[in-house]
Amino acid sequence: MSSSDTAPVGRRERNKQEKLARITAAASDLFDRMGVDEVTTQQIADAADIGTGTLFLYARSKAELLLLVQNAHYEDAIATGLRASTSDLTTIDAVMALIEPVVVCNRRHVGNGRTYLKELIFGDPTEPFHQRGLELIQQVDLACADVLRRNGSSDDDARVLAQTVSAVLFVHLASPERTDAPTDAVLDAIRRNLDLVLPVRGA
């Protein structure tokens, strides 16, 4: 097969990736400024300079667009947390270092963050961006379990405790009582809860 045979496929793929990047950037900007409930798919399509028909080829609903945007933010937050949760920290400090960027990410727009969590739990798990969101949540669980094993927990205990951390995280991020709370106050409340359940080990 000659290079001319493969070039059109490469151009199509580049075009798809470029449009997806424009959609992600447009949706992210509008969601950040206005909140997901106030944004229409037509506004996103206009900002991305594409038709709504093209938009729905990439994401079939506004909920999927939110998942697309939030997943991208979560990927960056998780990478930051993984770098911060170093082995020279105590158990609680390492876990908090891991999840703090995730909390900050979720609360960059509180309404969007709560809707994102709702979509992950109650949305269609067959949608690709939904699947990716669940993979990211699982990535946090696995990283948390690694921190706990590193600080002396058995495999079984680390797995259960990591699930407990996820539950505490979800309750504080999804609770309507925390909607107007400063992010620092939410982090302090999460830490107080985890202090009661995590083993006291580490440096």
Side-chain angles (χ1 to χ4, degrees):
M1 183 178 291
S2 67
S3 60
S4 61
D5 292 328
T6 59
V9 175
R11 284 196 296 271
R12 284 197 296 270
E13 183 60 29
R14 287 194 299 272
N15 186 45
K16 286 173 58 179
Q17 292 302 318
E18 190 270 338
K19 284 183 180 176
L20 181 61
R22 290 197 339 245
I23 291 167
T24 305
S28 179
D29 175 63
L30 288 166
F31 289 155
D32 278 352
R33 288 192 291 110
M34 301 169 62
V36 64
D37 291 339
E38 302 302 321
V39 176
T40 67
T41 53
Q42 184 65 62
Q43 288 173 311
I44 295 171
D46 290 344
D49 195 26
I50 58 173
T52 52
T54 300
L55 177 67
F56 290 130
L57 292 175
Y58 290 82
R60 290 192 285 183
S61 66
K62 188 168 66 171
E64 277 292 296
L65 287 165
L66 178 65
L67 289 168
L68 166 65
V69 168
Q70 292 289 98
N71 287 348
H73 296 327
Y74 264 56
E75 287 177 1
D76 292 340
I78 291 168
T80 299
L82 288 170
R83 289 192 298 268
S85 57
T86 55
S87 59
D88 60 340
L89 297 173
T90 64
T91 302
I92 183 64
D93 285 342
V95 170
M96 289 303 300
L98 173 67
I99 65 175
E100 179 174 346
V102 175
V103 173
V104 172
C105 173
N106 181 271
R107 291 178 60 82
R108 67 185 272 163
H109 187 291
V110 175
N112 294 345
R114 294 182 67 215
T115 302
Y116 176 68
L117 295 177
K118 182 182 74 174
E119 287 298 327
L120 286 180
I121 293 175
F122 299 111
D124 183 355
T126 65
E127 293 286 357
F129 300 128
H130 188 213
Q131 291 175 355
R132 180 55 183 156
L134 294 176
E135 290 170 0
L136 291 170
I137 298 302
Q138 179 69 11
Q139 187 177 342
V140 174
D141 280 357
L142 293 174
C144 186
D146 285 342
V147 167
L148 293 160
R149 278 192 293 269
R150 193 169 68 214
N151 284 319
S153 293
S154 68
D155 286 346
D156 286 345
D157 284 353
R159 177 178 53 81
V160 173
L161 286 169
Q163 292 171 350
T164 302
V165 171
S166 286
V168 169
L169 197 60
F170 175 81
V171 166
H172 285 278
L173 292 178
S175 172
E177 295 179 1
R178 303 287 183 188
T179 300
D180 297 324
T183 297
D184 284 347
V186 175
L187 286 166
D188 286 344
I190 291 171
R191 184 179 184 114
R192 286 197 301 273
N193 277 254
L194 295 183
D195 266 331
L196 297 175
V197 297
L198 294 182
V200 182
R201 295 191 180 99

